[in-house]
Amino acid sequence: MFRISHFQLYCILLLLVGPVAFLETPNILIIHLGCNAWLAAIGTIVPGILLAAMFQYIIKKSSQPFPLLLEEHLGKILGKFLGFLYILAFLLASSFTLRLFVDFIVTNVLPQTPISVFIGVLLLVGFVAIKSGLENLARCCELVTLLGLPFAFLIFLAAIIENWNPGNLLPFAYMDLTSFSLGLLSCSYVLGKMLPILSLAFFCPRQEKIRQVMFLVISTYVALMLATTLATLMTLDISMSNIATFPTFSTIRLLHIADFIQNIDIVFIGIWIMGVFGSVTIPWFMACYTAQQLFALKDYRFLAAPSSLIIGVFSILMGKNILELLAVSMHIIPLLYSFVFILLPFLLFLLTLFKPYPESATLAEPGSKAESSA
Amino acid sequence: MRFIKSKKPEKIDIPPGELVEQALSPVLQDNREKLRILLAGCSDVVMRDFMLASHPPTPGLLLYFDGLVDKEQVALHLLQPLLTEQNTGDSSENLSPDEMLKRVQYRILSISEVKTLSNIEELLHHISSGDTVLLIDGCSSGLVAGTRSWQSRAIQTPENEITIYGPKEGLSETLRFNTALLRRRIKSTNFKIENMVIGKLSKTDVALFYIEHIAPRPMVEELKKRLEAIDIDAVLDPRYLVEFVADEKRSIFTQEQYTEKPDRLCGYLLEGRIAVMVDGSPMALIVPVSFLEYLISPEDYYINYIAASLFRLLRLGAFAIALLLPSLYVAVITYHHEMVPTPLLLTLAATRQGVPFPAFVEALLLDLTFELLREAGLRLPRAVGPAVSIVGALIIGDAAVRAGLVSTPMVVIIAATGIASFASPSYNAGIIIRIARFAFLIASGLLGFLGIMIALILLFVRMASLSSLGLPYLAPLAPFNWQQLGDIFIRRPWFENRKRPYLEGMENQWRQGKSTGG
Amino acid sequence: MPRRLLLFIVIFLLPSCSACWDIRELNNSAVCTGAGVELSREGKFIFSGQMVKPSAPSESGTQTSTAVVLSASGSGVADAARRFMLSLSRFPEWSSISTFVIGEELAREDLALLVDFLLRNRNPRPTVNLVLSRGCTPEEVLSLPMPLSPYSGKGLETILDLQEKQLGIYVPTNVHEFIHKLTTAGIEPVVPQVSIEEKKLFISGTAVFKGRRIVGSLNETESRGYRWMNARSFNGGIIDLGSPQNPSELVSLEVKQFTGKTTPKLEQDQLKMKVTIRAELVFYEKSKSGELLTLSWKEEMERLAAQKIKQEISACIKKSQLLGSDILGWGYILQKHEPQLWESFSANWDDFFPTIESDIEVETLIVNSMLSQKSFRFR
C-alpha cells in the first residue's frame, strides 16, 4: 500500500479544480457580474470552506475510501448504482476537459491540425501516467504544479501590472443579488471536483491535516480566479471580454513585456497543457479506480486502455462545434457537476449526520513510516 | 628421505572440474600432480620445490604466479626462513605434520598475512590473486602468505573529473589501494567494506562500501541480495553489475553515479549512499542517486557557497538549453513566427533564404553531425584529433553555410547546445540529455511547442516512475521536499546543512549536533 | 516484446502520417510589416500589405531590406487578403505587422466588416498600431518609403510613439483599444491620421469616430487637448508660450510628467465633468535673453502654461461636443462613478453629451531648468 504526501494531495486537488476553471470561470463571472466579477471570486471562499467541511465530515464518518463508502452508507444496491454513476461522471468530466482544451488549441494556435490528433496525443500521455500508477501520477502532479502555478501567477501579475487600470473595476459592488449569487455559484461549483478527496484522503498519512490541505487548495483556487479575473477585467474590460471566445487567452495575447517578449500565448498554452494533463488524467484515474473498487477487480491499471477509448469517443461526440461546446460548458456541465459532485455528497453528508463514528482502528493507519515520507 | 626417491606418481584421471573441489591431500606429491594438471598451460605459474630445514628435512612446495607477487618478499621472508630456520622441529620432538605447520606459521614465516587453507579451489583462488601458497608434505592443509604486489597505475588525478580546488587523488584499478584511500578519509569502524566475489571465471573481488547507521540497512541488504543473485562469467567494470542491479533495467535513464574521486565517493557515503567497486576498474558505482544529483559537481563543496549556488543555477540553465534549445528553435521557426520580434524575424528569414531543407531536417542533420564529430573526436588518436576537429569545424561551420545548405542561426543554435551539453558535471546525465534532445526535436517538428510540452510531460511521467534502489528518481522534487531541495538547485552553506538528505530507512539523519556520526 | 515493437512502429509512423498540418516554413513566408484596408469606388475592399523582402546578410553583416506593397481587392476583407495568393508565392505573415492603416473611404462608409476581421482573425495581433490615411489610400501610405526606414509599417509605429513622448500631440492607439472603444457604450475612439505632403508621410490630425463611421477630425491644438485627458504615455511633450515679459518672445516648456483625471460631479442637479490636470514642467528653451528664471516669473510662467493647457483642453471638448462624439469617454466615466445616473442618461446620451459643461482645473509646476540656471547674455 503506497502513500501520497499532503503536498501531493494538494497538487492533485489543485490540478482537478484549477486549469479548466482558469479558462472558463472568469468568462462566466464577467458575463454575470461585469466589473464586479472579482468579488464573486473572493466570495467563493465561503462555499469552498463549507464544501471542504462537508467532505471532511464524510471522511470522518466513513471507514472505507470513496466508492466503498457509498455502499457503507447507502446499502449495497444503491451504493453500487451510485458508484457506477460516478464512473460515468468522472469519464465525462475527463472527456469534457479534454475536448474543451483541444478546441481551445485549435481555435487559437494550430487551426489546421485535426482535433483527433490532440485528443490522441493527450490520451496517450494520460494512459502512460495511469498505467504507471497513482504514486507516479501524484509525483507528476507535483512537477506540473511546481512548474505551472508560479508561471500562471506570474503571467497574470504581469498582465495586471502591464495594463494597470483599476478604473475598469468601478463601479464597486454595483450589482444585484441574483447575479452575484449566480456568479458565486458558477465560481464555486468547480470546487465540487475536489470529490476525489474522499478516496485520496485514505492514502494520506495524517487525516487531521486534510482540512488544511483542502483549505489551501481553496485559497489557491480563489487567488488564481482573482488574479485571472482582475487581469481580464483590467486588460479587456467588459465589452471585449464578452465578445471573446476565451477572454483569459485574449488577455495573454495582449501581454507585452519589455518590448521584446511578445505574443507569448503559445508558451502560456504550453505550460497550461501540463495542467490540463492533470485535470484530464485525475478524473480518468478516479474512474478506473472507482471501477476497480466497485467490481472488486485486482488492479485498475488495465482499465486505462479501454477507458481511454471511451474518453476519446466521448470527447469527440461532445459537441459538433465550439458553440455547442460552450453551451455545454455554460449550462450542462455546471448542472451535472453540482448534482454529482455537490448535491449527492450533500445528501450523503445528511445521511452520515445520523451515523456513529466508525471504529478508529479501521481508519487508515497513520503509521510513523508514512509520516516521514511526507 | 622417505619421499625423495622418485616414486612414479599415480595416474590421475579425474576431470579438472571435480579436481578443483577436492580437499588437499596430505601427500605432497599427490597435490603436486593435481596442481600440475590444473595449472597446465599457465606459463606464469611458479612451483618451487624445497626442503624444509627440519630434522629430517621435509619436502615442501611454494606456489605463486609470477608477476603478481613481490618476489623479494617471497625470497626473504618465506624461502629464506624455511630453508635455514632450525627450530622447525626435529625428530626428538616428534611433531605431527599439523603441529609442524603451526610452528611454521607462527614462528618461522615473517610475513604479516598468513592463514591456512585446505582445499584446492581456495588454493587456486589465492594464487591467482597474488598470494603465495606453501604446501608441506604430510600436512592436509597449506599456508597462504599475502605477498600480493603487482605493477599498477600510480595514484593519479582522474582525467575525467577535473576540479580546480579540492583533493586531486583518483581511485585506481587495484581494489586494495582504493579501500585504503577511503579508509584514510573515514576513520571509523562504522565504515564498512564488505567483500564478495562475483564472476564464475574471473572471480573478481567486488567491494561494497557503506557507513553503518547512515546507509539504510534494508537498502544495503537489498543491494547485497541483488548482487549475490548475479550469475555471470566475468565482471570487468561496475557497469556490468548495474544492469543487473538497477530498479528499472530497460531505460536510458541511468539510475547510478560513477566517480573516480575518493573524496566525492566519501561525500556520497556520508549521505547514506552505497558504493560498489570492482577490482580492476577505477570507477566506483554509487547507488542510489536521483536525477537531480547529476547537477552537482564535487567542486561545489570546495568553493564559496554563493558562487557554487550560482554555478548550479547556471548548470541548470545549461541543462535546459542542451535539452530544449534546438527543438524550441525549430518550433518557433516553423510554427510560431508571431513570437519572434519583427526585426529578428527579418534577420532569420534573410538567413534562411535558399536553405533547401525544412528547419526540422536542418536541425536534425546538424545535430547528428555534431554528435558524429564528438564521437569521432573521442576515439581519435591524439595526433589526428585536432585535424579532424578543424576539418569538422570548417566544413560544418563555414562551408555548409556558404553553400547554403544550412542557415547561420542554426549553426549558432547547435553550437550553443553543444557547449551547454558539456557543462553537465555528470557524463551520465549528458548521455540522457543527448538522446532526449532528439526526441524533443522530433516532437517539436510534429506539433511545435505543444509537441515539446507533450514530450516534456512524457519525460516527467517516465522519470517520476523510476527509482534507484527505492529512492525516487526525481527525489527532492517529485516527492517534493523543500528542505532537501535547498541543497540541489543551490548549495546550502555547511553550517546550515545540518541534516543529510533523507533516505527511506536511514537511522541517523543528523550531520551536526545531536548524535552526529554513525 | 511485441508490445514494444508495436510502440516503435507507432513512433516511427507518427511523423509520416502526421504531415505537420500547421507547419509554416520561414522560407515560404513573407514578413509583413504593415497592412491597410480601403474601400474602392465599386464597393470592393482593397487590402494592401507591405511585405519586406529579406536579403541575405552581406559579409559585413549589414542588410538592406526592401519593402514591396501588394494590393488585392475582394468582396470582403478576408477575401481580399486571401486574394494575395493569386499573385504572391509566399505565405504572408500577418502576425508581424506593426501598423494597420484604415482607408478614409472605408472609415466614412462602415467599419463593421473591418472590425470583425481584426477581432476574429488570430493572425493580426491586437497590439497592432492603428492609423487612418487622410486624403490618400493605405496603399499609397504603405508604399512611400520613410527617411532612414526601409519599411513604413514599423516606421509609423515608431513615429507615433516618439512624437507622443517628444512632442506630445497625438495619442497613438492600437487595434485592441480601438475596438474596445467602439464596442463600449459612452466612449468613442480616435485614430491618428496620416497624410502625404510633398511625397512625405506626415501625421496630421486625429480622426474622430462615432458609431461605425468617421465624423470629423481634431486639429493639432485639439489633439493636444485630447492627449491631456487620454494620454498613453504620461511623460513628454512640449508647450510653447509667449514669454510673460514680452508676448512676442517664445518660451518652450517640456512636460516632465503629468496626470489627467476626469470625474463627474453634480452641481444643483446639473451634471458637470471636472477635468483635473497636474503637470510637472521643465524650462526648456526661450528665444530672447530676458532673465525668466526667478521665482516670480516662474509663477507667471506656470500660470500661462496652465492657461495654455486649459485652452487646448476646452478646444478639444468643444470640438468633440460639436461633432457629437464622446471621444473623451465621459459616458464611460459616468458609468464607472455614478452608475445610477448613467442608467438614466444612457438611452439618449448622444443628445445629452453636447450639453454637458466642464470644469477644467490645471495645476502646473516648473521643476527644473536643464543644464543652465541663468539666461545667457550677449556681451
Side-chain angles (χ1 to χ4, degrees):
Chain A
M1 178 83 169
F2 51 84
R3 300 247 164 223
I4 53 180
S5 70
H6 289 116
F7 185 70
Q8 284 173 338
L9 186 66
Y10 167 80
C11 296
I12 290 177
L13 292 182
L14 192 65
L15 283 182
L16 269 172
V17 289
V20 185
F22 198 57
L23 185 66
E24 296 187 290
T25 310
N27 188 9
I28 299 173
L29 282 183
I30 293 173
I31 288 174
H32 284 313
L33 284 170
C35 51
N36 290 307
W38 58 285
L39 286 176
I42 295 179
T44 309
I45 210 155
V46 177
I49 286 175
L50 290 178
L51 211 60
M54 182 178 89
F55 285 141
Q56 169 86 7
Y57 190 80
I58 296 176
I59 292 168
K60 260 192 197 156
K61 280 279 176 88
S62 314
S63 58
Q64 281 170 304
F66 161 62
L68 298 177
L69 68 81
L70 290 175
E71 287 177 41
E72 182 184 331
H73 296 303
L74 295 170
K76 208 160 174 76
I77 298 161
L78 195 56
K80 280 247 191 280
F81 173 72
L82 273 185
F84 189 69
L85 197 71
Y86 272 109
I87 297 177
L88 287 182
F90 284 132
L91 286 177
L92 200 67
S94 176
S95 30
F96 168 71
T97 312
L98 186 63
R99 178 62 194 273
L100 190 73
F101 178 69
V102 164
D103 263 45
F104 170 78
I105 294 180
V106 170
T107 315
N108 290 301
V109 280
L110 300 173
Q112 310 285 315
T113 316
I115 60 168
S116 51
V117 172
F118 289 114
I119 291 181
V121 166
L122 278 168
L123 282 180
L124 175 78
V125 178
F127 171 75
V128 172
I130 291 182
K131 204 75 179 161
S132 57
L134 174 63
E135 199 176 12
N136 187 21
L137 191 62
R139 287 183 199 159
C140 292
C141 289
E142 269 178 312
L143 283 175
V144 168
T145 315
L146 286 174
L147 264 175
L149 197 63
F151 184 81
F153 274 114
L154 211 70
I155 215 163
F156 285 102
L157 277 183
I160 290 175
I161 292 167
E162 169 99 5
N163 301 295
W164 178 245
N165 196 357
N168 282 356
L169 303 181
L170 291 171
F172 178 74
Y174 184 70
M175 56 196 172
D176 54 48
L177 211 60
T178 335
S179 56
F180 181 72
S181 36
L182 260 177
L184 202 59
L185 274 182
S186 57
C187 194
S188 34
Y189 84 85
V190 182
L191 284 172
K193 275 190 170 179
M194 287 201 305
L195 180 101
I197 184 103
L198 294 185
S199 299
L200 297 175
F202 290 86
F203 295 119
C204 250
R206 264 171 306 165
Q207 300 210 342
E208 316 85 68
K209 277 188 79 178
I210 280 167
R211 188 184 302 144
Q212 286 171 31
V213 172
M214 277 199 281
F215 182 70
L216 266 181
V217 171
I218 290 162
S219 30
T220 317
Y221 172 75
V222 166
L224 201 61
M225 286 307 112
L226 190 66
T228 27
T229 319
L230 282 180
T232 311
L233 275 175
M234 285 195 185
T235 4
L236 289 187
D237 208 0
I238 306 156
S239 59
M240 294 286 276
S241 66
N242 280 346
I243 299 171
T245 317
F246 299 107
T248 323
F249 179 71
S250 300
T251 309
I252 290 154
R253 261 169 79 89
L254 272 162
L255 194 61
H256 213 273
I257 306 166
D259 256 8
F260 192 78
I261 302 171
Q262 54 172 14
N263 308 340
I264 50 167
D265 35 1
I266 185 66
V267 180
F268 165 75
I269 292 178
I271 301 283
W272 191 47
I273 201 175
M274 300 182 25
V276 170
F277 153 76
S279 32
V280 169
T281 315
I282 298 161
W284 182 3
F285 163 80
M286 279 308 296
C288 295
Y289 177 77
T290 312
Q292 181 237 335
Q293 294 286 316
L294 212 59
F295 304 117
L297 303 172
K298 250 204 300 234
D299 200 1
Y300 55 82
R301 291 170 204 220
F302 78 95
L303 291 171
S307 52
S308 76
L309 280 182
I310 297 176
I311 293 177
V313 172
F314 258 22
S315 59
I316 289 175
L317 293 182
M318 188 147 284
K320 288 192 199 70
N321 52 39
I322 189 122
L323 282 182
E324 269 185 43
L325 195 69
L326 287 179
V328 167
S329 101
M330 282 284 276
H331 306 299
I332 300 178
I333 289 293
L335 280 182
L336 186 86
Y337 280 6
S338 346
F339 177 70
V340 178
F341 296 143
I342 297 179
L343 195 66
L344 285 183
F346 181 67
L347 293 177
L348 199 66
F349 163 71
L350 290 183
L351 208 68
T352 48
L353 273 181
F354 307 106
K355 287 217 168 185
Y357 281 95
E359 307 278 317
S360 59
T362 53
L363 281 172
E365 58 278 23
S368 53
K369 187 178 118 243
E371 233 166 83
S372 47
S373 71
Chain B
M1 289 288 135
R2 273 168 297 178
F3 296 105
I4 293 276
K5 58 182 181 238
S6 60
K7 197 168 82 180
K8 197 90 182 151
E10 305 149 39
K11 194 83 182 152
I12 299 174
D13 41 23
I14 314 170
E18 286 172 35
L19 215 55
V20 167
E21 285 156 24
Q22 286 185 354
L24 284 170
S25 116
V27 184
L28 182 64
Q29 211 54 32
D30 267 7
N31 289 333
R32 204 179 189 290
E33 187 55 26
K34 284 176 191 163
L35 288 169
R36 197 185 55 76
I37 292 168
L38 285 169
L39 294 170
C42 300
S43 60
D44 51 347
V45 76
V46 175
M47 292 181 165
R48 166 71 154 91
D49 295 296
F50 64 95
M51 283 296 180
L52 199 61
S54 57
H55 296 283
T58 321
L61 176 66
L62 269 183
L63 207 63
Y64 60 87
F65 272 110
D66 196 13
L68 293 181
V69 298
D70 184 354
K71 270 190 181 164
E72 201 175 328
Q73 210 182 5
V74 173
L76 272 175
H77 302 290
L78 272 176
L79 213 48
Q80 197 184 11
L82 285 171
L83 291 176
T84 55
E85 197 64 60
Q86 297 295 319
N87 60 12
T88 1
D90 42 58
S91 45
S92 60
E93 288 180 68
N94 219 349
L95 286 173
S96 74
D98 284 334
E99 280 168 327
M100 195 155 79
L101 196 72
K102 278 231 168 72
R103 187 162 286 189
V104 170
Q105 184 180 357
Y106 292 121
R107 292 175 60 176
I108 295 182
L109 298 185
S110 53
I111 285 219
S112 51
E113 287 172 63
V114 177
K115 64 173 187 177
T116 57
L117 55 75
S118 58
N119 72 44
I120 291 183
E121 191 177 3
E122 237 179 301
L123 182 148
L124 290 176
H125 178 70
H126 276 291
I127 59 172
S128 51
S129 335
D131 292 329
T132 305
V133 170
L134 167 65
L135 296 178
I136 293 170
D137 191 28
C139 306
S140 56
S141 49
L143 288 179
V144 195
T147 53
R148 298 179 191 195
S149 164
W150 52 79
Q151 291 300 314
S152 74
R153 204 160 58 103
I155 292 175
Q156 288 168 330
T157 309
E159 273 180 31
N160 303 327
E161 286 173 87
I162 297 163
T163 55
I164 312 277
Y165 290 111
K168 295 274 194 288
E169 278 177 339
L171 296 170
S172 68
E173 276 80 357
T174 314
L175 186 60
R176 198 42 71 202
F177 295 172
N178 295 337
T179 58
L181 284 176
L182 294 170
R183 181 67 75 186
R184 229 177 61 207
R185 285 180 166 79
I186 305 174
K187 301 184 186 70
S188 159
T189 49
N190 278 338
F191 174 39
K192 305 289 184 199
I193 304 175
E194 285 191 31
N195 254 25
M196 50 173 71
V197 176
I198 301 178
K200 277 186 300 209
L201 211 60
S202 67
K203 303 264 190 308
T204 314
D205 283 321
V206 173
L208 215 66
F209 303 82
Y210 62 91
I211 299 178
E212 189 124 47
H213 304 306
I214 295 179
R217 196 69 229 168
M219 219 174 250
V220 178
E221 294 301 331
E222 176 65 29
L223 182 62
K224 256 199 265 182
K225 208 176 80 196
R226 290 186 195 178
L227 282 175
E228 275 158 10
I230 295 175
D231 178 19
I232 192 174
D233 56 351
V235 178
L236 303 180
D237 189 83
R239 185 71 233 181
Y240 281 54
L241 305 176
V242 163
E243 280 160 27
F244 289 101
V245 162
D247 284 12
E248 172 64 54
K249 298 177 177 71
R250 293 175 196 280
S251 175
I252 64 157
F253 300 104
T254 48
Q255 302 140 44
E256 70 283 329
Q257 177 75 285
Y258 297 98
T259 185
E260 278 183 80
K261 288 175 70 67
D263 52 317
R264 191 179 189 189
L265 185 56
C266 287
Y268 274 111
L269 291 177
L270 287 169
E271 289 184 354
R273 312 304 161 92
I274 310 162
V276 178
M277 285 208 73
V278 168
D279 192 25
S281 169
M283 304 303 285
L285 163 79
I286 296 155
V287 278
V289 285
S290 73
F291 182 75
L292 294 174
E293 282 166 21
Y294 288 147
L295 272 179
I296 297 175
S297 155
E299 202 180 17
D300 289 351
Y301 293 98
Y302 305 141
I303 55 178
N304 177 297
Y305 74 93
I306 297 171
S309 303
L310 293 175
F311 292 157
R312 270 194 197 172
L313 291 177
L314 188 70
R315 263 181 249 140
L316 189 70
F319 235 58
I321 289 177
L323 189 65
L324 292 175
L325 192 63
S327 45
L328 279 178
Y329 178 72
V330 167
V332 165
I333 212 109
T334 47
Y335 286 94
H336 315 296
H337 300 175
E338 71 271 11
M339 270 176 77
V340 191
T342 314
L344 184 58
L345 189 66
L346 277 172
T347 312
L348 290 179
T351 51
R352 278 197 61 78
Q353 291 301 309
V355 175
F357 306 112
F360 165 64
V361 177
E362 196 188 350
L364 204 64
L365 283 181
L366 258 186
D367 210 356
L368 275 175
T369 321
F370 173 73
E371 288 298 328
L372 201 65
L373 266 179
R374 162 143 123 176
E375 191 64 21
L378 220 59
R379 318 254 169 274
L380 281 173
R382 261 163 216 230
V384 205
V388 167
S389 35
I390 287 170
V391 169
L394 276 182
I395 288 181
I396 311 280
D398 203 45
V401 173
R402 273 165 196 264
L405 290 175
V406 292
S407 61
T408 341
M410 189 61 89
V411 177
V412 175
I413 295 281
I414 298 294
T417 312
I419 291 170
S421 68
F422 288 123
S424 145
S426 161
Y427 193 64
N428 264 349
I431 293 174
I432 296 173
I433 281 181
R434 276 158 67 190
I435 294 169
R437 180 160 75 225
F438 284 95
F440 276 95
L441 201 55
I442 292 170
S444 88
L446 286 179
L447 280 176
F449 199 78
L450 292 185
I452 297 180
M453 288 325 273
I454 285 166
L456 202 61
I457 299 175
L458 274 176
L459 185 79
F460 282 167
V461 172
R462 182 66 184 137
M463 290 215 317
S465 71
L466 294 178
S467 61
S468 171
L469 269 188
L471 176 73
Y473 198 44
L474 291 173
L477 204 60
F480 185 70
N481 188 323
W482 184 248
Q483 200 258 334
Q484 279 174 40
L485 212 55
D487 203 27
I488 291 284
F489 291 135
I490 54 165
R491 171 160 101 69
R492 201 179 287 154
W494 274 114
F495 54 81
E496 273 180 18
N497 215 358
R498 293 169 62 79
K499 273 172 140 186
R500 302 176 215 284
Y502 180 77
L503 289 175
E504 184 95 31
M506 188 184 256
E507 284 171 48
N508 184 351
Q509 226 194 322
W510 289 95
R511 268 199 163 119
Q512 298 171 26
K514 294 210 172 168
S515 44
T516 314
Chain C
M1 203 54 212
R3 256 194 13 219
R4 278 169 203 284
L5 208 65
L6 201 70
L7 197 74
F8 273 114
I9 291 171
V10 167
I11 286 173
F12 280 108
L13 282 185
L14 212 66
S16 55
C17 62
S18 75
C20 317
W21 298 271
D22 279 294
I23 213 155
R24 273 184 292 141
E25 280 294 335
L26 203 50
N27 299 25
N28 301 328
S29 44
V31 180
C32 297
T33 48
V37 180
E38 175 64 302
L39 206 60
S40 74
R41 291 214 182 80
E42 298 85 51
K44 284 203 161 188
F45 288 90
I46 307 173
F47 195 96
S48 312
Q50 185 184 50
M51 325 255 168
V52 180
K53 181 172 168 286
S55 53
S58 52
E59 282 297 293
S60 57
T62 55
Q63 60 188 81
T64 47
S65 301
T66 44
V68 181
V69 176
L70 293 176
S71 291
S73 66
S75 47
V77 182
D79 182 40
R82 291 279 161 102
R83 273 178 193 277
F84 269 38
M85 297 300 96
L86 292 176
S87 57
L88 185 68
S89 68
R90 287 166 176 247
F91 184 85
E93 202 67 65
W94 298 124
S95 59
S96 61
I97 59 176
S98 329
T99 306
F100 197 90
V101 188
I102 305 176
E104 195 181 350
E105 290 303 316
L106 178 71
R108 286 192 197 292
E109 198 63 35
D110 189 355
L111 279 175
L113 261 166
L114 175 65
V115 168
D116 195 55
F117 172 78
L118 289 175
L119 194 64
R120 197 181 298 281
N121 198 324
R122 69 186 191 92
N123 284 320
R125 314 298 299 192
T127 44
V128 167
N129 192 35
L130 204 64
V131 293
L132 185 110
S133 62
R134 189 86 180 183
C136 51
T137 62
E139 190 179 353
E140 286 163 354
V141 170
L142 291 172
S143 16
L144 212 61
M146 291 187 130
L148 297 180
S149 172
Y151 27 94
S152 51
K154 185 81 187 159
L156 274 171
E157 187 187 25
T158 322
I159 283 184
L160 280 166
D161 228 38
L162 280 180
Q163 65 81 26
E164 194 194 5
K165 281 177 188 148
Q166 297 297 314
L167 203 57
I169 305 178
Y170 304 107
V171 183
T173 187
N174 63 28
V175 168
H176 166 72
E177 281 170 26
F178 180 71
I179 298 176
H180 172 228
K181 288 179 179 172
L182 271 183
T183 52
T184 308
I187 189 162
E188 302 292 341
V190 295
V191 173
Q193 297 179 147
V194 175
S195 58
I196 300 176
E197 284 166 34
E198 293 165 5
K199 298 206 163 178
K200 266 191 204 155
L201 286 178
F202 272 99
I203 311 287
S204 63
T206 308
V208 177
F209 287 80
K210 185 180 180 188
R212 45 173 57 181
R213 55 181 64 91
I214 193 171
V215 288
S217 68
L218 305 180
N219 63 18
E220 203 178 302
T221 317
E222 291 150 1
S223 301
R224 277 180 188 275
Y226 179 78
R227 184 188 174 229
W228 289 112
M229 292 173 279
N230 292 281
R232 183 191 261 187
S233 152
F234 288 89
N235 316 72
I238 291 281
I239 303 172
D240 291 334
L241 300 171
S243 157
Q245 289 167 334
N246 175 2
S248 67
E249 289 176 18
L250 183 79
V251 172
S252 292
L253 299 172
E254 189 184 21
V255 182
K256 193 168 175 234
Q257 62 179 45
F258 69 95
T259 55
K261 219 169 97 183
T262 312
T263 43
K265 66 173 182 186
L266 278 174
E267 273 177 15
Q268 297 126 25
D269 279 347
Q270 185 71 35
L271 182 69
K272 255 190 160 184
M273 299 307 282
K274 185 167 190 250
V275 180
T276 322
I277 308 289
R278 279 203 177 76
E280 280 180 24
L281 306 170
V282 174
F283 189 80
Y284 200 76
E285 194 183 63
K286 66 191 193 59
S287 63
K288 295 273 168 57
S289 50
E291 185 57 78
L292 278 171
L293 284 168
T294 62
L295 283 179
S296 52
W297 282 122
K298 185 192 87 115
E299 260 171 40
E300 188 61 19
M301 272 194 295
E302 282 170 354
R303 193 185 59 77
L304 281 176
Q307 205 178 3
K308 181 86 191 271
I309 293 172
K310 210 182 261 183
Q311 275 166 17
E312 287 171 357
I313 291 174
S314 53
C316 173
I317 293 173
K318 214 168 134 191
K319 186 65 172 278
S320 76
Q321 289 184 331
L322 193 72
L323 294 172
S325 165
D326 186 3
I327 52 173
L328 304 169
W330 283 359
Y332 187 69
I333 291 165
L334 190 64
Q335 181 192 352
K336 291 295 174 199
H337 288 91
E338 306 283 342
Q340 281 108 345
L341 212 58
W342 165 250
E343 267 167 29
S344 63
F345 283 134
S346 60
N348 45 3
W349 181 248
D350 282 350
D351 303 329
F352 187 65
F353 171 68
T355 65
I356 300 176
E357 284 180 21
S358 56
D359 187 357
I360 306 165
E361 195 183 301
V362 183
E363 219 174 276
T364 52
L365 189 69
I366 294 180
V367 289
N368 72 35
S369 66
M370 312 293 282
L371 293 183
S372 33
Q373 56 155 334
K374 280 210 168 71
S375 299
F376 74 94
R377 286 175 198 287
F378 297 102
R379 288 177 199 258

